[in-house]
């Protein structure tokens, strides 16, 4: 997705994994989707999520967000079908039964198919578990920010609470940008993602002031998770200062620190899973089995379709459909598992990051702007009712 130079440097959590020239960083940022394109992808994702409960005849008619798009572009599928069609064309042009037909009748391709099915289902189950775990991490980050916003609104002065919530939301957005440092990269850049929400959010002020951005400028947000880590520490410093100023007691301070650390742990979980995808050895094993099995299955099915006086066009078509269904099963499962490995990319099947960020900002704005009617008005209504 992105291009990085090959000069390594130290760093943890995907931080500062590469030393890059400013020119290279600028070129990479420009190659990633701008905010309008990201919103377009996000809208399509949300539409696809609503298709799950549609009638079967409507689900079958879709192309985007389905396995058909992947299968149509897979060369192994076409090779398998060509092998089957080629053998059946040959069978329909001769009137005798080749000796190889009897030899192939003694083989048992079904055993290999059974083993492959087991490993494919295991692979999909593993990647689906990763996908749901990372979804849980994303929602946990949003939840912890809301917890802090609730306490900040009720226990802190407005300016102190706003500052804390600003820093926390900035850490949230910066965390998704920093994912580009590890794994397969991220479509969310500082230029097109963080800067947009820094200037245009539901809160009263920008997430970070120019002075705060200058302090953080030594971090390369596009290629490091350290900016997010420092912003999380800023949140802890905000809470500690509020405790010193007498706005919080020790229990409230401990509660807020625990929520902030829970947020950081959830972000770390996202980074950890992204940094360690399923083993390439396992994926290569599945691809190798698929590449061997499907052509063999096509040959076995084609030879079982009838020769000489036993051949029939109707049977050829039926057997061809079976071969195609087997391709859908094998290539579809493999593609499904591969799609779920990296849920923070730009595929339509990936997680709705923009929805999580904007939803969190909107909820925080609602919490920080919440107002109750004056006490005397409430007491007056109560007296009237009695």
């Amino acid at each position: 997705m992105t291009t990085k130079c090959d000069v390594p440097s130290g760093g943890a959590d995907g931080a500062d994994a590469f030393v890059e020239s400013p020119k290279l960083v600028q070129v990479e940022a420009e190659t990633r989707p701008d905010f309008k394109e990201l919103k377009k992808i996000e809208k399509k994702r949300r539409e696809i999520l609503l298709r799950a409960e549609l009638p079967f005849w409507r689900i079958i008619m879709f192309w985007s967000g389905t396995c058909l798009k992947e299968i149509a572009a897979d060369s192994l599928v076409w090779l398998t079908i060509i092998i089957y069609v080629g053998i059946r064309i040959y069978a329909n042009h001769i009137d005798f039964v080749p000796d190889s037909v009897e030899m192939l009748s003694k083989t048992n391709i079904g055993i290999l198919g059974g083993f492959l099915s087991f490993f494919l289902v295991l692979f999909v189950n593993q990647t689906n578990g990763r996908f749901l775990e990372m979804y849980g991490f994303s929602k946990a980050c949003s939840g912890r920010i809301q917890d802090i916003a609730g306490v900040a609104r009720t226990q802190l002065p407005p300016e102190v609470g706003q500052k804390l919530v600003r820093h926390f939301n900035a850490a949230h957005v910066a965390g998704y940008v920093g994912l580009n440092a590890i794994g397969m990269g991220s479509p969310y850049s500082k230029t097109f993602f963080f800067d947009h929400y820094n200037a245009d959010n539901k809160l009263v002020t920008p997430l970070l002031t120019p002075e705060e951005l200058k302090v953080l400028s030594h971090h390369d947000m596009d290629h490091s998770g350290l900016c997010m880590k420092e912003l999380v520490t800023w949140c802890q410093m905000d809470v500690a200062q509020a405790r010193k100023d007498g706005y919080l007691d020790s229990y409230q301070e401990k509660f807020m620190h625990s929520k902030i650390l829970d947020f950081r742990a959830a972000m770390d979980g996202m980074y950890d899973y992204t940094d360690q995808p399923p083993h390439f050895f396992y994926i290569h094993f599945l691809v190798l089995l698929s590449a061997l099995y499907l052509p063999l299955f096509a040959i076995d099915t084609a030879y079982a379709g009838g020769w000489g006086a036993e051949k029939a066009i109707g049977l050829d078509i039926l057997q061809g459909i079976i071969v195609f269904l087997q391709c859908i099963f094998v290539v579809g499962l493999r593609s499904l598992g591969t799609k779920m490995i990296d849920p923070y990319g730009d595929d339509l099947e990936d997680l709705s990051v923009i929805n999580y960020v904007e939803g969190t900002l909107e909820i925080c704005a609602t919490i920080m702007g919440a107002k109750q009617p004056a006490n005397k008005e409430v007491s007056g209504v109560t007296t009237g009712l009695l």
Side-chain angles (χ1 to χ4, degrees):
M1 181 180 298
T2 55
T3 303
K4 299 175 180 176
C5 70
D6 297 328
V7 184
S9 69
D13 301 312
D16 300 334
F18 294 86
V19 177
E20 306 193 28
S21 66
K23 184 176 180 180
L24 181 59
V25 172
Q26 181 65 26
V27 169
E28 180 176 332
E30 292 173 352
T31 59
R32 284 186 281 172
D34 59 19
F35 189 76
K36 183 180 294 186
E37 188 174 351
L38 290 173
K39 286 288 286 185
K40 184 178 179 181
I41 296 172
E42 186 77 4
K43 181 180 179 181
K44 195 68 176 177
R45 284 176 183 163
R46 304 309 295 178
E47 291 175 356
I48 291 175
L49 290 176
L50 298 177
R51 298 177 183 174
E53 297 184 3
L54 293 176
F56 82 94
W57 58 271
R58 290 191 60 189
I59 291 177
I60 291 176
M61 300 301 293
F62 286 109
W63 175 259
S64 63
T66 69
C67 65
L68 295 177
K69 190 174 182 179
E70 296 296 319
I71 291 170
D74 197 295
S75 57
L76 180 59
V77 174
W78 292 105
L79 174 63
T80 303
I81 294 174
I82 289 171
I83 290 173
Y84 172 80
V85 172
I87 294 175
R88 292 315 303 163
I89 290 176
Y90 174 71
N92 282 274
H93 278 77
I94 62 174
D95 296 325
F96 61 93
V97 180
D99 297 336
S100 56
V101 174
E102 184 178 354
M103 296 172 57
L104 285 174
S105 64
K106 299 177 182 179
T107 61
N108 191 352
I109 302 299
I111 296 178
L112 179 59
F115 278 111
L116 179 58
S117 299
F118 170 77
F119 288 119
L120 282 172
V121 172
L122 186 65
F123 174 58
V124 171
N125 184 63
Q126 179 187 7
T127 54
N128 183 62
R130 284 170 47 90
F131 188 91
L132 294 178
E133 282 281 347
M134 296 171 86
Y135 168 75
F137 289 142
S138 291
K139 299 303 289 184
C141 289
S142 177
R144 301 299 75 75
I145 295 173
Q146 295 174 46
D147 293 340
I148 290 296
V151 179
R153 174 65 183 88
T154 56
Q155 301 296 327
L156 300 178
E159 64 279 2
V160 178
Q162 282 283 356
K163 181 181 178 182
L164 173 58
V165 173
R166 283 195 299 106
H167 289 167
F168 216 178
N169 277 282
H172 189 206
V173 181
Y176 286 115
V177 175
L179 285 171
N180 188 57
I182 54 178
M184 301 179 185
S186 166
Y188 309 105
S189 63
K190 180 182 183 299
T191 303
F192 299 128
F193 191 69
F194 182 87
D195 288 349
H196 172 83
Y197 286 114
N198 187 53
D200 184 11
N201 57 71
K202 303 293 183 179
L203 302 175
V204 178
T205 58
L207 298 181
L208 296 177
T209 65
E211 293 77 13
E212 291 170 335
L213 285 171
K214 186 176 180 180
V215 172
L216 293 170
S217 62
H218 63 286
H219 294 305
D220 183 4
M221 189 185 297
D222 280 308
H223 303 92
S224 172
L226 293 180
C227 186
M228 177 269 295
K229 292 295 183 75
E230 182 163 344
L231 283 167
V232 170
T233 305
W234 283 16
C235 294
Q236 292 185 276
M237 294 168 67
D238 292 339
V239 171
Q241 187 61 47
R243 172 76 173 98
K244 291 179 182 178
D245 294 340
Y247 301 130
L248 300 171
D249 58 31
S250 59
Y251 175 80
Q252 292 167 334
E253 180 190 18
K254 182 179 179 181
F255 173 82
M256 295 183 79
H257 277 303
S258 68
K259 295 300 180 181
I260 295 171
L261 294 178
D262 287 344
F263 169 88
R264 190 173 69 182
M267 271 289 176
D268 285 344
M270 292 160 51
Y271 277 69
D272 293 341
Y273 271 103
T274 303
D275 187 52
Q276 181 58 64
H279 293 293
F280 174 73
F281 187 97
Y282 187 33
I283 295 175
H284 179 270
F285 171 71
L286 291 176
V287 171
L288 180 61
L289 280 182
S290 302
L292 294 174
Y293 170 71
L294 285 179
L296 288 176
F297 181 80
I299 294 172
D300 185 66
T301 306
Y303 269 83
W307 296 80
E310 297 180 356
K311 60 191 177 186
I313 296 298
L315 181 60
D316 289 344
I317 295 174
L318 179 61
Q319 295 282 63
I321 294 174
I322 292 174
V323 171
F324 181 65
L325 288 176
Q326 191 74 339
C327 290
I328 292 177
F329 176 77
V330 174
V331 177
L333 279 179
R334 192 191 71 208
S335 299
L336 174 61
T338 305
K339 285 283 186 183
M340 292 189 291
I341 289 177
D342 179 29
Y344 298 111
D346 54 5
D347 294 329
L348 295 178
E349 298 79 18
D350 290 334
L351 294 176
S352 304
V353 171
I354 290 180
N355 183 63
Y356 308 152
V357 170
E358 292 186 350
T360 305
L361 287 169
E362 185 174 4
I363 292 171
C364 286
T366 301
I367 293 173
M368 299 306 292
K371 294 181 180 179
Q372 285 185 329
N375 290 334
K376 60 181 181 180
E377 296 177 5
V378 174
S379 61
V381 171
T382 305
T383 304
L385 291 173
L386 294 174

